[in-house]
Amino acid sequence: MILVMDPGMEEKQQQELCLMLQKKGFYTRLVSQYGQLVLSIDGPGEEACARELSGAKGIVEIIPGRYSYYLASRRCHRKNSLVRAGRPGGNEVVFGGDEAVIIGGPCAVETEEGAISLAHKIKEAGCRVFRGMIFKPRSSPYSFQGLGRAGIEILDKIKVETGLLILTEVRDQLEAEMVADHADIIQVGTRNMSNFQLLRHLGQIPRPILLKRGMGSSIEELLCAAEYLLAHGNADVILCERGIRTFEHFTRFSLDIGAVPSLKELSHLPVIVDPSHASGRSSLVEPLALAALAAGADGLMLEVHPQPEAAFSDGAQSISPDAFDRVIELGRKVAAAVGRTLA
Ligand code: PEP
Ligand code: MN
């Protein structure tokens, strides 16, 4: 159960309230975010306890539901949140505003030369964020796991040579610390959406987090995962729909296009779509990307490879730089039709 408190409540009063609830046997947590103060109480009898507290001084609202989220919800923050990545005045992109943001790059950084030359093409296409994965969470331990720490230098070179912002994935706390000063956006992949320890840690890292929906997770579970980041101090969260597991096997996953307007309705956080992992097929990337923009996505993440058939990973779903150009060109038209532009 979540209690929305008066943010002006004195600290002494807050502590006394928490202590009183703890003495009654409840687990409590006090969180401050978006200028709001939130107190959660967990334990048997919490609803009756919240009813008793209702109307008490300093308690503004009681949010029902045991496993809920509040900071990620529209109830907490009515306007769309803008998540900024990069440097103000320099290359800065804003997620959640009028512009839909395109993120492009390979599934994994394979070689320095290949990654840098692709980054130039990504930039020429008009894209401002490069996805350069060096820590790969692969289903099989025998598959290419990414260049690891050695890849950081390549990401730095791409940034210096092209000015593109860098998005990269981390799988644990150690990797998060390694990339924190190099990446502009840190990705949590589908397999780690429920790695709550990692989310807690990333809550304290001053970088925007791209949080991908777990392949078997509901919209509510995704929002609860986002709540972890918010409750642990990081307000810069971008949600990503990347397909969920269904009985359909023609596509690798099923893109839940309905998740886009649903998330926009439930949450103030920006929502982007990854049609590459969702479909697993390069031929489907363009139509799904356009559908995502039409459905109101705040951006797209696309896997691009100069020679998809020779990629170390996810070649089947990677599009060529020419196909990437085309998605951007068509994407501009779809974005315009729904009152947006493309960044
Ligand atoms: C990725 O974006 O590189 C990736 C592995 O995606 P997902 O976690 O959605 O499978
Ligand atoms: Mn991939």
Side-chain angles (χ1 to χ4, degrees):
M1 173 118 335
I2 293 167
L3 306 183
V4 183
M5 317 291 288
D6 173 1
M9 192 180 200
E10 277 180 25
E11 214 173 305
K12 186 162 170 274
Q13 229 188 318
Q14 296 172 20
Q15 274 159 11
E16 279 169 8
L17 180 61
C18 288
L19 207 64
M20 182 273 281
L21 291 165
Q22 284 159 13
K23 278 191 184 147
K24 286 185 179 215
F26 294 110
Y27 170 78
T28 66
R29 209 175 132 67
L30 203 54
V31 169
S32 158
Q33 182 64 275
Y34 301 125
Q36 297 208 32
L37 187 64
V38 164
L39 172 66
S40 62
I41 22 177
D42 191 21
E46 64 187 33
E47 286 186 20
C49 172
R51 268 197 305 275
E52 270 171 41
L53 286 172
S54 140
K57 193 165 166 267
I59 296 172
V60 178
E61 197 186 354
I62 296 176
I63 310 292
R66 195 176 157 110
Y67 301 106
S68 207
Y69 57 88
Y70 175 71
L71 298 171
S73 74
R74 282 257 178 223
R75 201 166 182 162
C76 166
H77 200 272
R78 289 188 202 288
K79 283 197 192 157
N80 288 341
S81 273
L82 300 180
V83 174
R84 293 169 195 281
R87 292 161 307 281
N91 188 7
E92 185 192 47
V93 295
V94 181
F95 291 84
D98 293 338
E99 285 185 327
V101 179
I102 311 292
I103 302 166
C107 178
V109 172
E110 296 169 354
T111 63
E112 177 175 325
E113 207 190 351
I116 293 178
S117 119
L118 179 62
H120 281 290
K121 291 194 176 121
I122 296 284
K123 186 177 181 182
E124 282 158 23
C127 170
R128 286 156 62 199
V129 188
F130 182 78
R131 52 162 286 150
M133 307 310 187
I134 53 175
F135 301 113
K136 291 299 302 171
R138 304 302 303 281
S139 297
S140 166
Y142 307 116
S143 304
F144 175 55
Q145 307 282 308
L147 295 180
R149 189 192 281 270
I152 294 178
E153 215 178 297
I154 303 177
L155 298 182
D156 285 345
K157 282 191 186 160
I158 291 173
K159 195 187 232 183
V160 171
E161 275 198 28
T162 65
L164 288 168
L165 299 186
I166 302 293
L167 173 142
T168 199
E169 175 161 358
V170 300
R171 300 165 297 189
D172 60 28
Q173 182 169 342
L174 202 68
E175 291 172 359
E177 275 154 22
M178 278 193 254
V179 306
D181 290 334
H182 304 268
D184 298 289
I185 305 170
I186 295 180
Q187 172 168 309
V188 175
T190 192
R191 294 162 183 82
N192 266 318
M193 186 208 84
S194 303
N195 182 343
F196 302 119
Q197 278 306 102
L198 176 62
L199 298 178
R200 287 161 76 125
H201 180 72
L202 292 174
Q204 281 147 46
I205 292 220
R207 287 285 171 274
I209 307 296
L210 178 71
L211 178 63
K212 296 187 99 175
R213 179 180 181 181
M215 60 180 82
S217 301
S218 65
I219 288 173
E220 187 178 17
E221 285 163 334
L222 171 60
L223 290 170
C224 281
E227 187 87 359
Y228 261 91
L229 293 164
L230 299 169
H232 283 87
N234 195 336
D236 294 325
V237 180
I238 304 153
L239 305 170
C240 180
E241 162 59 36
R242 49 77 68 206
I244 50 175
R245 272 218 205 284
T246 66
F247 53 81
E248 182 52 66
H249 292 298
F250 179 68
T251 48
R252 189 175 175 192
F253 296 94
S254 294
L255 180 64
D256 181 6
I257 200 80
V260 177
S262 304
L263 286 165
K264 300 291 292 178
E265 190 172 310
L266 292 166
S267 175
H268 52 90
L269 297 170
V271 180
I272 73 158
V273 167
D274 169 356
S276 307
H277 289 89
S279 64
R281 289 174 177 264
S282 56
S283 62
L284 301 184
V285 169
E286 179 186 297
L288 294 184
L290 300 180
L293 291 171
D298 295 303
L300 298 171
M301 182 155 79
L302 304 172
E303 282 189 341
V304 188
H305 197 283
Q307 249 188 304
E309 64 290 353
F312 268 56
S313 54
D314 288 350
Q317 68 198 35
S318 297
I319 56 174
S320 67
D322 284 348
F324 183 62
D325 284 346
R326 200 180 132 81
V327 176
I328 294 195
E329 195 188 312
L330 294 174
R332 283 192 206 289
K333 294 185 187 154
V334 175
V338 293
R340 313 280 292 264
T341 51
L342 279 198

